[in-house]
């Protein structure tokens, strides 16, 4: 009970992180508000939690997301001010896109700045999130008519660190098509194993346990130290060796090379089956998925404009438009639904996680057209399900995805999709490099992190 966890907006990625923390931190105390009416949560949650959280001498650490005005809470509850206060940013309001600049409410960004000032540790889910927040504080404060505060970035930056969002990747083996299953295993050839690459994918495919899919801190931009790489490699090899031993001799065919059979990329598929699939895949339309919130900051206008251009030019494809909807759904969705007609396979929020994962496993390409993204859980979930990602060369995406998965202009996006629509079998043969090329940096248990050292 030494860790007090507070979440003023218990939904989406906020819920995912809180649930993981609650699972990993034994005996923590959790207080939440439902994920609705975000603006009112940001304005009034501190007053609600002041009355809801009982006093306790056992608390040592307070963990909350930046939706909560932490400065207000600790002013209202001086007993909580004594705790080690950890503030986690899923997003920041200083650069959160609005349709018109005059629509931006100064108060939300201001709340986050003063919350940082009272926090002891400030954690961001990406370097893009952190830098965009810190470097915008100065210009943001210039909106104040007079008596503007100075040097706030210098006060806040020393407290800041990046902790990439930990995704619990589920086992989707049962949903994968034959070509995806084979392709995933091809990523774990012996040479890759010797170089320390693809071990995570191999272990996940051999064990097929959800806990193996916990995405650690990862970034191409942040290189691991050699000692960290070596330690990670040793641990992975030890785990791999344990898997092989636990499988016993039943995993191998008598008289054949055991090491080769252990990592034979297509051992569960007969070659005739694979050849038949390759023939069929040339004629099956490209399946495009867009798994994002139905809001303007995800730029659905660009996505649907691109698809309709493909259709006008006689190219065939299937599309699944997933994601959550809220009170105000942009008009473009209803218009696009009519225009796309029979090309639509799935439309709207999926009622269960399994249904959602099944659609991702069926799809070939996942697309982001976001104007705003501080991490992008949906894109990584789709990649985990074997989708080829196409993302803007902006926001957080260059931190996570290699160059060949990024586009700079809408015309580049169109041309890439045009090529794949003409030859969908090409994208189906491509081995997704993202999960094996991204370094796994979140190597410690949640409770081993410095922010929880006092818990």
């Amino acid at each position: 009970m030494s860790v007090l966890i507070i979440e003023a907006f218990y939904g989406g990625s906020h819920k995912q992180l809180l649930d993981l923390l609650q699972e990993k931190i034994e005996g923590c105390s959790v207080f939440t508000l439902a994920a609705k009416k975000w603006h009112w949560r940001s304005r009034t949650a501190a007053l609600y939690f002041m009355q809801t959280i009982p006093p306790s001498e056992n608390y040592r650490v307070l963990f909350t997301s930046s939706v909560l005005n932490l400065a207000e809470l600790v002013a209202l509850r001086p007993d909580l001010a004594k705790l080690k206060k950890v503030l986690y940013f899923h997003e920041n309001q200083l650069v959160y896109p609005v349709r018109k600049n005059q629509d931006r409410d100064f108060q939300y960004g201001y709340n986050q700045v003063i919350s940082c000032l009272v926090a002891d540790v400030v954690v961001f889910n990406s370097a893009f999130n952190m830098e965009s927040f810190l470097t915008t504080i100065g210009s943001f404060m210039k909106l104040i008519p007079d008596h503007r505060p100075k040097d706030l970035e210098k006060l806040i930056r020393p407290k800041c660190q990046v902790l990439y969002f930990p995704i619990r990747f589920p086992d989707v083996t049962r949903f994968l098509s034959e070509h995806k299953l084979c392709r995933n295993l091809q990523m774990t050839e012996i040479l890759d194993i010797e170089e320390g690459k693809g071990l995570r994918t191999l272990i996940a495919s051999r064990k097929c346990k959800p806990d193996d899919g916990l995405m650690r801190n990862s970034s191409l931009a942040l290189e691991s130290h050699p000692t960290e790489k070596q330690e990670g490699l040793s641990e992975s090899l030890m785990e791999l060796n344990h898997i092989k031993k636990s499988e016993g001799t039943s995993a191998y065919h008598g008289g054949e090379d055991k090491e080769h059979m252990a990592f034979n990329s297509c051992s569960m598929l007969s070659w005739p089956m694979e050849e038949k699939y390759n023939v069929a895949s040339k004629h099956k339309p490209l399946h495009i998925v867009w798994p994002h919130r139905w809001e303007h900051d995800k730029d659905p206008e660009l996505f649907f404009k691109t698809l309709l251009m493909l259709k006008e030019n006689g190219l065939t494809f299937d599309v699944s438009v997933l994601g959550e909807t809220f009170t105000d759904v942009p008009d473009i969705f209803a218009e696009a639904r009519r225009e796309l007609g029979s090309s639509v396979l799935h439309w709207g929020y999926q009622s269960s996680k399994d249904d959602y994962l099944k659609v991702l496993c069926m799809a070939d390409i996942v697309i982001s057209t976001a104007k705003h993204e501080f991490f992008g859980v949906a894109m990584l979930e789709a990649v985990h399900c074997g989708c080829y990602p196409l993302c803007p060369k902006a926001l957080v995406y260059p931190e996570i995805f290699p160059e060949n998965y990024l586009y700079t202009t809408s015309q580049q996006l169109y041309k890439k999709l045009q090529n794949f629509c003409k030859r969908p079998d090409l994208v189906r043969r491509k081995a997704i490099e993202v999960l094996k090329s991204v370094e796994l940096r979140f190597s410690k248990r949640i409770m081993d992190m410095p922010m929880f050292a006092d818990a």
Side-chain angles (χ1 to χ4, degrees):
M1 194 175 166
S2 62
V3 177
L4 171 63
I5 300 177
I6 304 171
E7 180 50 69
F9 196 77
Y10 184 58
S13 60
H14 295 241
K15 181 180 184 299
Q16 285 181 252
L17 179 59
L18 188 144
D19 289 349
L20 178 61
L21 289 172
Q22 192 171 3
E23 178 183 328
K24 298 296 182 180
I25 302 173
E26 186 176 350
C28 58
S29 297
V30 178
F31 296 88
T32 66
L33 281 168
K36 58 183 181 180
K37 301 185 184 299
W38 179 91
H39 299 88
W40 283 106
R41 296 291 188 251
S42 182
R43 291 187 183 109
T44 65
L47 190 58
Y48 169 80
F49 288 123
M50 177 203 76
Q51 296 182 326
T52 305
I53 299 172
S56 174
E57 295 182 358
N58 295 323
Y59 299 144
R60 295 292 180 270
V61 175
L62 186 161
F63 183 96
T64 187
S65 76
S66 61
V67 175
L68 175 69
N69 188 329
L70 183 59
E72 284 185 350
L73 179 62
V74 298
L76 294 167
R77 286 285 301 270
D79 58 315
L80 301 181
K82 303 172 186 177
L83 308 182
K84 182 175 183 178
K85 297 170 290 297
V86 181
L87 184 67
Y88 191 90
F89 275 72
H90 293 267
E91 64 281 314
N92 80 74
Q93 293 300 312
L94 302 195
V95 297
Y96 199 95
V98 290
R99 304 201 72 187
K100 298 178 181 178
N101 197 48
Q102 58 264 39
D103 292 340
R104 187 181 300 281
D105 192 320
F106 179 84
Q107 192 65 42
Y108 301 127
Y110 179 77
N111 289 352
Q112 291 187 329
V113 171
I114 62 173
S115 291
C116 288
L117 292 171
V118 301
D120 298 298
V121 181
V122 183
V123 185
F124 294 84
N125 61 357
S126 68
F128 167 73
N129 193 1
M130 181 177 75
E131 289 301 324
S132 64
F133 178 80
L134 293 173
T135 57
T136 306
I137 291 175
S139 59
F140 181 77
M141 288 297 165
K142 288 180 180 178
L143 296 172
I144 301 175
D146 55 11
H147 303 291
R148 298 170 184 141
K150 299 178 181 179
D151 301 325
L152 296 183
E153 179 186 346
K154 292 181 180 178
L155 293 175
I156 295 172
R157 185 175 283 277
K159 306 177 181 183
C160 296
Q161 61 181 267
V162 174
L163 176 62
Y164 287 86
F165 189 86
I167 303 175
R168 185 182 294 281
F169 286 127
D171 172 27
V172 295
T173 309
R174 64 195 185 281
F175 301 142
L176 291 175
S177 59
E178 287 86 353
H179 81 281
K180 282 191 176 183
L181 197 58
C182 179
R183 188 179 65 192
N184 286 353
L185 290 174
Q186 285 174 338
M187 293 169 61
T188 56
E189 296 291 343
I190 294 175
L191 286 177
D192 286 343
I193 293 165
E194 290 174 348
E195 294 172 3
K197 300 176 183 177
L199 285 171
R200 178 190 166 281
T201 307
L202 174 62
I203 292 169
S205 67
R206 300 296 289 171
K207 294 175 74 175
C208 296
K209 292 181 180 179
D211 282 346
D212 296 329
L214 194 64
M215 182 179 178
R216 272 45 171 198
N217 246 8
S218 56
S219 172
L220 291 174
L222 300 174
E223 296 182 359
S224 299
H225 296 296
T227 53
E228 291 174 343
K229 282 189 175 183
Q230 186 61 41
E231 289 173 3
L233 176 59
S234 299
E235 291 172 2
S236 297
L237 288 172
M238 288 175 64
E239 185 171 4
L240 187 59
N241 187 50
H242 174 73
I243 296 167
K244 290 165 63 180
K245 288 181 179 178
S246 65
E247 288 177 336
T249 56
S250 61
Y252 311 115
H253 296 282
E256 296 189 40
D257 184 285
K258 293 184 179 181
E259 285 296 309
H260 177 71
M261 289 306 299
F263 308 116
N264 186 356
S265 58
C266 290
S267 60
M268 78 284 289
L269 296 174
S270 63
W271 285 113
M273 180 190 298
E274 188 65 14
E275 288 171 1
K276 288 177 183 177
Y277 184 86
N278 286 336
V279 172
S281 70
K282 291 180 181 179
H283 304 289
K284 187 178 178 182
L286 183 75
H287 185 175
I288 302 167
V289 66
W290 193 85
H292 310 287
R293 283 185 288 104
W294 290 23
E295 294 186 310
H296 287 290
D297 63 287
K298 300 301 182 184
D299 204 356
E301 291 82 4
L302 173 59
F303 175 69
F304 290 124
K305 177 183 176 181
T306 305
L307 293 193
L308 292 174
M309 283 176 59
L310 292 171
K311 190 168 185 178
E312 288 170 7
N313 290 324
L315 296 165
T316 58
F317 58 85
D318 292 325
V319 62
S320 293
V321 180
L322 312 180
E324 291 183 272
T325 58
F326 297 92
T327 305
D328 299 318
V329 176
D331 295 337
I332 187 64
F333 283 92
E335 297 168 9
R337 180 69 180 87
R338 289 192 299 270
E339 294 291 332
L340 290 169
S342 60
S343 297
V344 175
L345 291 185
H346 303 89
W347 191 265
Y349 185 74
Q350 299 300 294
S351 58
S352 73
K353 189 69 174 180
D354 275 2
D355 290 340
Y356 173 70
L357 294 172
K358 285 176 185 177
V359 177
L360 295 183
C361 288
M362 290 168 55
D364 299 307
I365 290 184
V366 59
I367 294 177
S368 170
T369 48
K371 296 177 182 177
H372 135 258
E373 192 62 79
F374 294 115
F375 185 71
V377 172
M379 290 297 293
L380 284 168
E381 285 180 334
V383 169
H384 175 66
C385 292
C387 295
Y388 185 100
L390 288 177
C391 318
K393 190 176 180 179
L395 309 170
V396 71
Y397 295 119
E399 281 184 62
I400 298 175
F401 296 98
E403 179 79 18
N404 51 312
Y405 300 112
L406 307 177
Y407 63 88
T408 304
T409 65
S410 58
Q411 189 61 24
Q412 283 184 0
L413 172 62
Y414 174 81
K415 286 183 177 179
K416 285 176 180 286
L417 286 176
Q418 181 186 49
N419 292 336
F420 287 138
C421 282
K422 291 178 178 179
R423 289 292 307 277
D425 57 306
L426 295 181
V427 74
R428 289 167 188 152
R429 290 177 182 176
K430 288 180 179 289
I432 305 303
E433 300 290 332
V434 178
L435 290 181
K436 78 169 184 176
S437 61
V438 172
E439 292 292 341
L440 302 180
R441 295 179 57 84
F442 186 35
S443 58
K444 297 182 179 180
R445 294 186 307 114
I446 293 288
M447 280 297 291
D448 290 337
M449 294 177 188
M451 68 184 73
F452 293 116
D454 299 333

